[in-house]
Amino acid sequence: MKHTYTVTGMTCNGCRTSVEDKLNAIPEVKKASVSLEAAEATIEISKHISIERLQQTLPNKYSISEKNNFVYSSNSKTAETSEIKQLFPLFLIFGYITIASMLLNRSPWNTNDFMLDFMGLFYIVFSFFKLLDLKGFPKSFRMYDPLAKVVPVYAWMYPFIEVVLGLLFLMRIEVSIALIVTLVILGITTIGVTKTLLDKTSIQCACLGTALKLPMTKATFIENSIMIVMAIIMLIQINN
């Protein structure tokens, strides 16, 4: 019997090999083949193995689940709830950044300064989480960012680029340059995110580094789009 499972948490070929070896070590498994790109594991078994046992075989950073071609409404609702729960840290951080930016500019209210503070805090906070695991972040980032795939050193530099951009926005230094760089780097990343979403590839989002295991979803696309729209608005106002 052959079964196909979805495996999340893999960020490189080393992860793929590790998962494949762990699964092949199970006595009831005749052969296990893992695909990093599809985030799938095809397992040929001699007798039934529970999903719980498969999960116990793998390290905590990986998650394995049954892949069904037909999804019933009840299962869909459960998956939707699970996705929202996984993305809760992202929503929470986004909320804190928004509230902090509003409080900084509440009296008198200044929309331009609000957007600059929002972008500055966004970069500083998100770079902090990326720097928590500077070794693991580049591997995860290269999974979907087109430039990082071609120029690996860019993935290592990215958290530090965010720190610099955050400081430039918060200190109001070379804002025009910071806005242009924002459009370039987030534009490139958004292309990769869009392709991943269209391909329905299940991978980990590196927006908050690897410390928080967030799935790649539409929320990532929306998050980048908000920053890009703000950067465009600010550039237009500065040049007028």
Side-chain angles (χ1 to χ4, degrees):
M1 295 183 292
K2 277 188 178 181
H3 296 276
T4 303
Y5 300 87
T6 297
V7 181
T8 58
M10 298 185 296
T11 58
C12 62
N13 275 319
C15 295
R16 182 196 64 79
T17 302
S18 175
V19 171
E20 197 169 80
D21 290 345
K22 294 288 185 184
L23 294 174
N24 277 309
I26 300 173
E28 293 86 353
V29 173
K30 291 182 178 179
K31 183 181 179 182
S33 178
V34 178
S35 169
L36 176 64
E37 291 76 17
E40 290 180 354
T42 303
I43 307 175
E44 185 177 354
I45 57 176
S46 57
K47 65 177 183 178
H48 175 71
I49 306 173
S50 68
I51 194 70
E52 290 79 12
R53 186 177 172 198
L54 292 174
Q55 184 62 67
Q56 289 170 1
T57 304
L58 302 177
N60 291 333
K61 68 178 290 189
Y62 307 116
S63 178
I64 187 167
S65 58
E66 293 182 7
K67 183 171 184 178
N68 298 317
N69 292 325
F70 301 97
V71 181
Y72 297 95
S73 58
S74 59
N75 292 335
S76 178
K77 288 178 182 177
T78 302
E80 205 172 289
T81 302
S82 177
E83 186 176 281
I84 292 173
K85 187 176 181 181
Q86 284 180 296
L87 290 171
F88 180 72
L90 179 62
F91 295 144
L92 188 63
I93 291 169
F94 218 80
Y96 269 101
I97 292 173
T98 302
I99 292 170
S101 301
M102 291 174 68
L103 291 175
L104 287 170
N105 298 280
R106 73 185 190 283
S107 182
W109 175 256
N110 188 308
T111 302
N112 288 348
D113 283 342
F114 163 77
M115 288 191 287
L116 290 175
D117 287 333
F118 181 93
M119 289 189 283
L121 290 172
F122 177 95
Y123 277 129
I124 294 296
V125 173
F126 278 59
S127 65
F128 166 79
F129 284 98
K130 292 179 178 69
L131 290 170
L132 285 177
D133 184 14
L134 190 55
K135 184 178 179 181
F137 166 75
K139 294 178 183 177
S140 183
F141 192 54
R142 285 198 297 268
M143 289 289 293
Y144 60 89
D145 186 270
L147 182 56
K149 287 180 181 179
V150 179
V151 187
V153 70
Y154 172 67
W156 290 93
M157 293 170 56
Y158 192 83
F160 299 101
I161 293 174
E162 286 196 328
V163 172
V164 172
L165 288 173
L167 292 174
L168 291 178
F169 283 129
L170 291 174
M171 299 176 71
R172 309 297 194 261
I173 300 173
E174 300 293 349
V175 172
S176 295
I177 294 174
L179 290 169
I180 292 170
V181 174
T182 292
L183 288 176
V184 173
I185 65 172
L186 289 186
I188 293 171
T189 301
T190 303
I191 291 172
V193 170
T194 303
K195 185 178 184 303
T196 299
L197 293 174
L198 291 175
D199 292 343
K200 297 183 179 179
T201 305
S202 177
I203 63 172
Q204 182 178 335
C205 175
C207 53
L208 285 176
T210 56
L212 298 175
K213 294 178 175 61
L214 302 178
M216 179 67 72
T217 65
K218 293 176 184 176
T220 311
F221 175 82
I222 294 171
E223 157 206 320
N224 284 0
S225 298
I226 290 173
M227 288 286 285
I228 290 172
V229 170
M230 283 188 174
I232 292 172
I233 293 172
M234 288 302 302
L235 272 175
I236 292 173
Q237 291 187 355
I238 289 174
N239 293 323
N240 284 342

